[in-house]
Amino acid sequence: MEDESSGQVVLYMKGADTVMASMVEYNDWLEEECINLAQKGLRTLVVARKVLTTEQYTHFEQRYNAAKLSVTERGSRVAAVVETLECDLELLCLTGVEDKLQTNVKQTLELLRNAGMRIWMLTGDKLETATCIAKSSRLVSPNQGLHIMGSLGSRREAHLELNALRRKSDCALIIKKAAVVRLIQRHTGKRTAAVGDGGNDVSMIQAADAGVGIVGKEGKQASLAADFSIEQFQHIARLCLVHGRNSYKRSAALSQFVMHRGLIISTMQAIFSSIFYFSSVALYQGFLMVGYATIYTNFPVFSLVLDQDVSPAIALTYPELYKDLTKGRSLSYKTFFVWVLISMYQGGVLMYGAMLLFEDELIHVVSISFTSLILTELLMVGLTVRTWHPLMVVAQFISLGFYALSVIFMHYFDWEFIKSKDFFWKVLVITLVSCLPLYILKFLRRKFTPPTYSKLEELNTFGSSSLTQQQP
């Protein structure tokens, strides 16, 4: 800024005290006051200036322009010129700004901790400021101890620090390390989610498995670089406990059901080929195979993305339910082999049942087995669903309607046999043998070892009914 009256040029600078302390003239109060403000949870900002004569500014401008025109090492040359001004600054003032928490930050952090998530707060603030913010946001309880890990020069020093931490009970750890997200991923194998609202958080957000950007006063850099963008920190609870839960459960069910849909027809083809001396004859030809993978089963299978085991209200009321997801029981080697066995059992029942019950022509085997296969797939969707959505029912009837219309108008099978009672009872028997045992097993399992969420649903329903009865 140029002062027109005196002809002097004034350079104003502001920044963090850790940076500005080495640039300003010697003083005996800056460091002490910064600590006092930081202990109150205020963010400190140092303001300083430097007065330049016209000759000093002209000399600086010439060197700066020359550095900008450098062909090699341009950045370092420009920085070196600028550093000549960033020294012996006159200290003007020190400000302390209160960084208010957003709405429901404390409650959201409490929900996430009860859900079994380990939360790390990464900040560029002073140690005292970070500690104060951690306590005010309930990330650290007021009576909880703090263990500050100092600078470490070797593995032995790190082990000593960790041993000292283990000897303390109910203690929060404060460390001064870079690339914390990558360290957690590398040494624990856990999934990480990074949450930030400023441009300085972009690298952390991009390094995490899931990046969440908050649209804040500092701009949209974080939200644009993130996988998910939210407006308030409190929305993280719903993002993780509701949408995250549904996404995991639905993805697990859908992926395993798609595998089942392909494996069951492969089992039937393998059995058919083995019966006829491993001939290379396709069991289902033409549009039957195309229809099976598309209009006959697509809608019910993909309607599983609408399924949910608990309501959003219960998921937010009981965050402990989220801990079950970390065990990976919905998508594991165990569930994979269970679905493989189910597919092989049903494929065997459908194929051998059709071979045993047909009487005259081979085309009757195709009609009986394929119709039973379509009905089995639709019933298996019903077995997998935990909460029925209206669109799921619509998808079931649409698929069944498409199959019925294609049988009537495209003449896949012997129409006289399709209209006979033999066709209906044979299809019914094979389908029941294929699906009924699985429904019985599901009923017994829910009766004797019900999942946690079903207990909470019943408890919530009972509580609501009791409250209704108490009202006059």
Side-chain angles (χ1 to χ4, degrees), residues 454-466:
S454 63
K455 299 177 184 177
L456 293 176
E457 289 279 7
E458 295 173 0
L459 180 63
N460 189 62
T461 304
F462 177 76
S464 301
S465 60
S466 300

Side-chain angles (χ1 to χ4, degrees), residues 54-65:
T54 305
E55 292 78 10
Q56 289 176 321
Y57 177 74
T58 303
H59 181 59
F60 163 78
E61 188 177 22
Q62 291 173 351
R63 291 189 299 145
Y64 182 77
N65 291 333

Side-chain angles (χ1 to χ4, degrees), residues 6 38 40 107 207 224 250 354 412 427:
S6 62
K40 298 177 182 179
Q107 294 85 340
L224 292 175
R250 293 166 178 173
Y412 290 147
V427 169

Side-chain angles (χ1 to χ4, degrees), residues 74-90:
R74 181 183 304 170
S76 59
R77 291 174 184 268
V78 170
V81 174
V82 173
E83 285 179 2
T84 60
L85 290 184
E86 296 176 342
C87 62
D88 298 329
L89 300 175
E90 179 187 354

